[in-house]
Amino acid sequence: FYGRPWSMDQRKVLFMQLWGLNTYLYGPKDDLKHRLLWREVYSPEEEEAQSRGLRFVYSLSPGQDIVFSSSCDLALLKRKLKQVSDLGCQAFAILFDDIDHSMCQADSEAFTSFAHAQVTVTNEIYRFLGEPPVFLFCPTYCGSLCSPSVSKSPYLQTVGEDLLHNITVIWTSKVISRKLSLDSLAELESVLQRPPLIWDNLHANDYDTRRLFLGPFKGRDPQLRNQLRGLLLNPNCEFEANYIPLHTLGSWHRAEKDYVKRALTAALHDWMEELNQPLQALCGGKGLLSEAQVRLLVGLHYLPHEHGPSAQKLLQDLTWLKSNCHLVGANSKKTQPQKVDEWRGRASRFLSLCEDIAQLHCSVVGGANRAVLYDLYPYVWDLRNTALVAKAFICWLGRVLNDGSNLASWRNCFHCGKSTGAELLGVDSEPWVFKGGVSGEVQMLLPVGSSSELFTHPPPLFPTSRLYNIRPYHSKDKVELYRMVRQLHLRTQGGQESTMAHPDVIGDCLGPCLALSPEYSFILEDELGICGCVLGILDVRSFAKRCQASWIPAMRDKYPPKGSSTHSNTQEDQGEYPDSLLYHFPSQLRLDALPELVDVSVGRTLLTALLTALKANSQGVFCEVQPTDHQRLEFLTKLGFLEILRGEARSREGVVLGRLL
């Protein structure tokens, strides 16, 4: 596969033996001496007998740059494989997948076809190695080479007729097949003149860094075994993600029909024990994963063409809640009460599932098996962050629509045709057509779903099991928000208490947004309380007028001028931005978070929640940052904000960054 090559340690070998597997083919494309530097032999430090009770198949992929007619390349190929043979290896594979099928001038003169070139070299290597009992040949998978059909392909006909009969042909019918049929294998066996060995990519995830496949080996009738030389499962790049796939592969090899449900139940039971077992006595986590959490984990990361039950519910409910948001609008007088109740019931179920995902993330991070943590963490972290945004969006949607927000623009914003990846893919499409798995599908159902820079970032280096939540602002949050802002202000002042007499002076910098635009304010909280907020203004022009009419007079009464600047932070004129800025970026935001925020990625998630809300009724948003705040400038730039104005935007030194929605 493509990805970091595995080391075959004792634990991996033990698992494979327990599951009834008997063969390990070594062929990672990212091992330089397997593919790119295939001519180079291994150093003494790299030499190690890897069998340990399994049939070890060593493979080489020389096809990218080999000259088939070159005696020098052929000698180097023999030298490389002889070195491995001298180490005790008795099984080999020559792989010509994923290569260009054109030939150089010298090869075109020496061979009648591309297949002829490959077969000639493969036969010679097979004889040179003494005709080992296991020798595999992987053809080039290319649509033009298999046309007009498998049975009539000149390329495959040459392979079948000219390849020595004891050489096994590796075959993949589609890159990732939903099912394998007896009829297709019979046709293939006829043209290859031998039973094929299936190279099955069902659980391979090297084509999408946001997808993981924890589901069972399925879609392959056990009767296929009678028509095969064997079956190799190309796994997830992360070994710990393959417990259920490989466990159920072993069950498939021993089973009759209808084995999947029983095999999955047994694999889940065994994996739960493994998940809760520390690898070392001093390496335990905080708690145990429950059976419900393990099933949730698998259901959210199931198979390329199929979601598990939990993922289906998540996507179906989010799609339905979006499409029927008008049911909870305050202006929808004719809506039947039961429809409103249905919307709120499904919203409650959706929010509960999002909370379960957040708790699952915490449990994986705090779990006993640290090997599992480091393999699965990027995926549960990614889905946790996406679920935080989706949960905040549904909470916010139910609230603002209930308050009488205009629904017309929401209908335009939510128009998306087919809503899920499974619908977009169809039965015959390859699964990489739609990126991101469940996390990507939830993302695409959000108003800012096409903005990949908001969702695709590497996880933090140090996982944290702290539980976070993002939700709309409530008036009861004002006291704690004011306290948080005062705390931030004290830190910028070196810990010195403010000389301002009134305790609300610093907090009232948030006051206009909380009083006049509460529907675009979001709270970030952890187990200790509020640790961040993002405040939005939908239309700066109209907001400035309302400030002049109500907020600033109220502040003048609260802070009577006494020749000081005590109220300077609370009476800022919102109308000093030029019309050229507000025309393209009518909205504004302010983001605050405590510096001890353990998982800084939730700051990005918090900002994304606000952008999701603004998207329906705004075309662009801006914020102002001090030019010395390099960390904030870098943070916003990575999220698609660009510098628009510096200094001259207002009579201050702030840098104005804007982003189109």
Side-chain angles (χ1 to χ4, degrees):
F1 56 67
Y2 295 87
R4 177 171 56 86
W6 290 359
S7 62
M8 284 307 295
D9 56 42
Q10 187 174 1
R11 182 164 172 267
K12 293 184 177 72
V13 173
L14 176 61
F15 278 152
M16 293 182 185
Q17 291 171 330
L18 288 174
W19 298 328
L21 310 181
N22 61 15
T23 302
Y24 176 80
L25 185 146
Y26 179 83
K29 296 295 195 294
D30 290 349
D31 175 356
L32 294 180
K33 292 185 179 181
H34 163 79
R35 192 184 197 202
L36 185 63
L37 305 178
W38 62 268
R39 296 174 177 85
E40 296 187 11
V41 295
Y42 291 102
S43 65
E45 293 78 12
E46 294 171 312
E47 297 177 0
E48 181 183 1
Q50 302 247 16
S51 59
R52 298 179 182 176
L54 293 173
R55 180 189 292 117
F56 177 79
V57 182
Y58 176 78
S59 69
L60 205 61
S61 294
Q64 279 190 321
D65 62 354
I66 189 174
V67 177
F68 293 97
S69 58
S70 167
S71 59
C72 179
D73 270 2
L74 189 59
L76 292 172
L77 185 57
K78 291 177 178 178
R79 180 185 71 161
K80 180 67 167 284
L81 293 176
K82 185 178 186 304
Q83 182 197 24
V84 179
S85 177
D86 290 343
L87 294 173
C89 183
Q90 300 178 349
F92 302 88
I94 300 294
L95 311 182
F96 291 114
D97 56 316
D98 296 351
I99 63 171
D100 183 7
H101 63 280
S102 59
M103 291 193 293
C104 65
Q105 183 64 31
D107 287 346
S108 297
E109 295 173 358
F111 302 105
T112 57
S113 68
F114 189 53
H116 182 212
Q118 291 181 343
V119 167
T120 301
V121 168
T122 302
N123 287 342
E124 183 164 348
I125 294 298
Y126 175 64
R127 294 191 183 101
F128 168 77
L129 292 172
E131 300 188 0
V134 176
F135 194 90
L136 313 179
F137 166 82
C138 183
T140 302
Y141 301 124
C142 179
S144 61
L145 296 181
C146 295
S147 63
S149 66
V150 167
S151 60
K152 297 180 180 180
S153 163
Y155 173 81
L156 294 180
Q157 288 173 353
T158 300
V159 170
E161 293 170 1
D162 295 347
L163 192 69
L164 293 175
H165 188 71
N166 287 333
I167 297 176
T168 297
V169 178
I170 299 173
W171 182 253
T172 299
S173 56
K174 290 184 63 176
V175 178
I176 301 169
S177 300
R178 181 191 291 264
K179 292 183 178 180
L180 296 179
S181 69
L182 292 167
D183 291 341
S184 64
L185 291 180
E187 179 187 24
L188 180 64
E189 181 178 355
S190 175
V191 70
L192 294 179
Q193 302 183 29
R194 72 203 77 196
L197 184 148
I198 293 297
W199 180 309
D200 200 331
N201 291 311
L202 181 63
H203 292 88
N205 69 335
D206 48 18
Y207 56 88
D208 189 344
T209 58
R210 297 179 70 189
R211 299 195 75 176
L212 193 69
F213 304 114
L214 305 179
F217 184 74
K218 62 177 297 190
R220 288 93 176 104
D221 193 308
Q223 293 184 22
L224 293 175
R225 297 192 303 259
N226 300 325
Q227 292 185 246
L228 300 176
R229 285 271 178 93
L231 186 143
L232 295 169
L233 182 64
N234 195 11
N236 293 279
C237 292
E238 300 81 5
F239 175 76
E240 300 296 338
N242 294 299
Y243 194 99
I244 290 176
L246 295 180
H247 192 295
T248 53
L249 173 62
S251 298
W252 172 84
H253 186 260
R254 300 184 300 270
E256 300 302 327
K257 289 186 176 182
D258 303 324
Y259 74 97
V260 175
K261 187 174 181 180
R262 296 189 303 275
L264 177 57
T265 299
L268 281 166
H269 177 269
D270 291 350
W271 196 36
M272 193 168 74
E273 290 187 1
E274 178 68 20
L275 289 172
N276 293 324
Q277 179 66 42
L279 295 185
Q280 299 175 3
L282 300 178
C283 192
K286 297 178 181 178
L288 302 179
L289 282 161
S290 67
E291 180 180 351
Q293 287 183 316
V294 176
R295 288 188 176 276
L296 174 62
L297 177 64
V298 174
L300 292 169
H301 307 88
Y302 203 61
L303 290 171
H305 300 92
E306 180 182 356
H307 292 312
S310 49
Q312 292 178 26
K313 290 179 182 177
L314 188 76
L315 295 169
Q316 289 169 359
D317 282 342
L318 181 55
T319 302
W320 189 90
L321 290 167
K322 276 181 40 179
S323 302
N324 295 277
C325 62
H326 59 281
L327 297 177
V328 292
N331 298 326
S332 54
K333 308 268 185 193
K334 298 180 180 179
T335 302
Q336 298 177 357
Q338 58 267 32
K339 291 290 186 181
V340 176
D341 292 341
E342 181 182 3
W343 196 96
R344 300 205 177 279
R346 294 185 73 153
S348 177
R349 185 173 73 179
F350 177 81
L351 300 180
S352 178
L353 184 50
C354 289
E355 291 170 1
D356 290 342
I357 292 172
Q359 187 61 61
L360 172 65
H361 169 268
C362 296
S363 296
V364 170
V365 173
N369 191 318
R370 310 312 282 170
V372 173
L373 160 64
Y374 290 110
D375 273 359
L376 302 191
Y377 172 66
Y379 301 96
V380 295
W381 168 85
D382 179 37
L383 187 55
R384 186 280 308 261
N385 283 356
T386 305
L388 282 177
V389 177
K391 177 175 178 286
F393 171 62
I394 292 300
C395 286
W396 174 85
L397 185 60
R399 177 179 172 183
V400 298
L401 294 178
N402 191 55
D403 292 340
S405 177
N406 179 22
L407 292 171
S409 56
W410 281 109
R411 291 196 181 97
N412 294 331
C413 184
F414 289 164
H415 180 70
C416 58
K418 292 183 177 180
S419 55
T420 67
E423 291 174 326
L424 290 168
L425 286 172
V427 174
D428 297 324
S429 299
E430 295 288 3
W432 55 73
V433 173
F434 193 92
K435 295 288 186 180
V438 174
S439 184
E441 292 190 36
V442 172
Q443 170 190 330
M444 291 305 296
L445 289 170
L446 298 172
V448 292
S450 60
S451 302
S452 60
E453 70 276 5
L454 297 176
F455 295 91
T456 52
H457 290 265
L461 292 177
F462 303 102
T464 173
S465 59
R466 183 165 293 185
L467 193 64
Y468 290 99
N469 183 40
I470 297 173
R471 59 172 176 79
Y473 163 80
H474 298 290
S475 57
K476 63 182 179 181
D477 299 320
K478 179 178 177 181
V479 173
E480 195 169 351
L481 274 181
Y482 272 39
R483 186 184 302 117
M484 183 190 76
V485 174
R486 285 199 302 271
Q487 185 178 347
L488 289 171
H489 178 75
L490 283 175
R491 294 183 182 184
T492 60
Q493 300 299 316
Q496 298 296 319
E497 288 288 343
S498 173
T499 58
M500 299 179 183
H502 201 289
D504 287 348
V505 167
I506 303 302
D508 271 334
C509 64
L510 308 179
C513 289
L514 300 180
L516 303 178
S517 185
E519 67 274 20
Y520 288 100
S521 300
F522 288 87
I523 300 297
L524 173 65
E525 56 189 359
D526 61 13
E527 296 150 351
L528 302 178
I530 291 178
C531 54
C533 68
V534 61
L535 312 180
I537 300 169
L538 180 62
D539 186 274
V540 172
R541 286 195 184 95
S542 61
F543 183 81
K545 294 178 181 178
R546 287 188 289 154
C547 280
Q548 291 287 346
S550 59
W551 177 255
I552 291 180
M555 290 299 99
R556 290 191 181 119
D557 293 339
K558 188 173 182 178
Y559 307 109
K562 296 180 180 178
S564 68
S565 59
T566 56
H567 61 285
S568 60
N569 288 329
T570 65
Q571 297 184 22
E572 296 174 355
D573 185 359
Q574 298 289 332
E576 294 183 13
Y577 294 104
D579 289 340
S580 58
L581 168 68
L582 299 180
Y583 179 81
H584 295 286
F585 306 93
S587 303
Q588 186 179 10
L589 67 83
R590 169 181 175 141
L591 178 66
D592 291 288
L594 293 175
E596 59 264 29
L597 197 64
V598 179
D599 185 350
V600 294
S601 70
V602 296
R604 167 173 59 85
T605 306
L606 175 64
L607 181 59
T608 303
L610 172 62
L611 299 182
T612 300
L614 288 173
K615 168 72 175 178
N617 295 301
S618 178
Q619 64 179 11
V621 61
F622 71 93
C623 62
E624 191 169 359
V625 183
Q626 290 303 310
T628 55
D629 193 347
H630 301 294
Q631 185 176 1
R632 182 63 59 90
L633 289 169
E634 181 183 7
F635 170 78
L636 291 169
T637 300
K638 288 182 178 179
L639 297 181
F641 284 80
L642 300 176
E643 182 178 326
I644 301 171
L645 297 170
R646 182 182 287 265
E648 66 271 17
R650 306 171 77 180
S651 56
R652 299 202 303 271
E653 297 180 353
V655 177
V656 176
L657 302 176
R659 186 187 192 284
L660 294 175
L661 296 173

